[in-house]
Amino acid sequence: MDGISTKPSVNGLARGLVDGFAADAVELRARVYEGPLGCRLVDAGATVRGGIEAGRRLAEICMGGLGQVAIVPSVTTPRWPTAIRVGAADPVIACLGSQYAGWSLSDGDWFALGSGPARAIYAKEHIYEDIGYSDRADTAALVLETAAPPPEAVVRTVAESTGVAPTALTFLYAPTQSLAGSTQVVARVLEVALHKVHALGFPMGRVVDGVGVAPLAPPSPDFVTAMGRTNDAIIYGGFVHLFVEGPDDEARDLAHKLPSSGSRDYGSPFAQVFSRFGGDFYAIDSMLFSPAAVVVSSLESGMSHRAGAIAEGLLDASFG
């Protein structure tokens, strides 16, 4: 692809973050150990306590070193006053080229979606053609939302698919039910917005910058409840501000189509929606996966367009 060499290497940028996480494992209440084929495994919340700071740093690794993730006070959800703020130096590459959980990996009963910079070396998802990006590196990291480490067959698949030696691979993992897992999932608020922008057919090259905020979802020991809360934090509590190029009317149209309230399945806590569809994630309207409220600012006209609203009552129903 033209121009790829001029774009940042998400694996190169993330390497220091990954090594720093491993070095700080004791303070982060994480565990680092050798896995199959000599890969490095980092447990951030499965058999260890982990925590919010571990999740915040996992999120920055997911964004390939291009993202800034901070724990901040929430001004939109006073009953849930702790929020996660996400920004990125290059939001399209950070969020869609790295953070998006798009690499499906499985072996027997083990399954997880891989997110993070190693995806960009594999780059077999169609979205990489659309954003014009891929990466090359001799080390790579993959973040997995799971309670179990990847088995040998999965490590081998990732190594062969990326051309990175197993001993140069790091897998970081934490279940959704953990504090770290919940934090890193909610930190996808900007990524979720950009994924919907892509689904709506808006040219990704015209997305210049963006910031997202969502309330920190309290975890639950029950997987469906925990998964529902992380989704609700974005669907009913997330706010995203995008800065785009192009005609003002197209920025206005994007703003009106972007919020989650435009989905047929909007209006119930996500765990209830999930149960209504018999646990079939893919039967749920994909337009539901979007922030509750947005502002889209046109750099061409200088005008900003607002749509959607925070639904704090639905957050209360979800968060407990």
Side-chain angles (χ1 to χ4, degrees), residues 16 21 61-62 66-67 69 93 123 193 195-196 270 287 301 305 309:
F21 193 110
I61 291 168
C62 282
L66 290 169
V69 181
I93 292 179
H195 193 263
K196 187 166 181 181
F270 187 81
M287 295 294 103
S301 70
H305 308 282

Side-chain angles (χ1 to χ4, degrees), residues 163-245:
V164 176
T167 52
L169 289 173
T170 300
F171 296 87
L172 306 99
Y173 64 98
T176 313
Q177 301 95 310
S178 67
L179 274 168
S182 180
T183 300
Q184 74 92 2
V185 174
V186 175
R188 298 172 183 271
V189 58
L190 180 59
E191 174 247 291
V192 168
L194 290 178
H195 193 263
K196 187 166 181 181
V197 170
H198 177 257
L200 291 170
F202 189 86
M204 299 311 298
R206 284 166 41 190
V207 178
V208 177
D209 220 324
V211 177
V213 181
L216 182 66
S220 167
D222 175 70
F223 169 72
V224 173
T225 302
M227 181 264 295
R229 288 176 177 179
T230 57
N231 277 282
D232 290 333
I234 296 172
I235 293 168
Y236 299 121
F239 166 78
V240 167
H241 189 174
L242 297 179
F243 300 83
V244 303
E245 295 176 330

Side-chain angles (χ1 to χ4, degrees), residues 118-132:
R119 277 182 60 237
I121 303 177
Y122 179 50
K124 292 297 187 292
E125 302 159 43
H126 292 307
I127 201 165
Y128 285 99
E129 295 180 12
D130 296 340
I131 66 175

Side-chain angles (χ1 to χ4, degrees), residues 280-296:
D280 183 356
F281 195 87
Y282 296 100
I284 300 168
D285 179 17
S286 62
M287 295 294 103
L288 181 63
F289 301 101
S290 191
V294 304
V295 173
V296 178

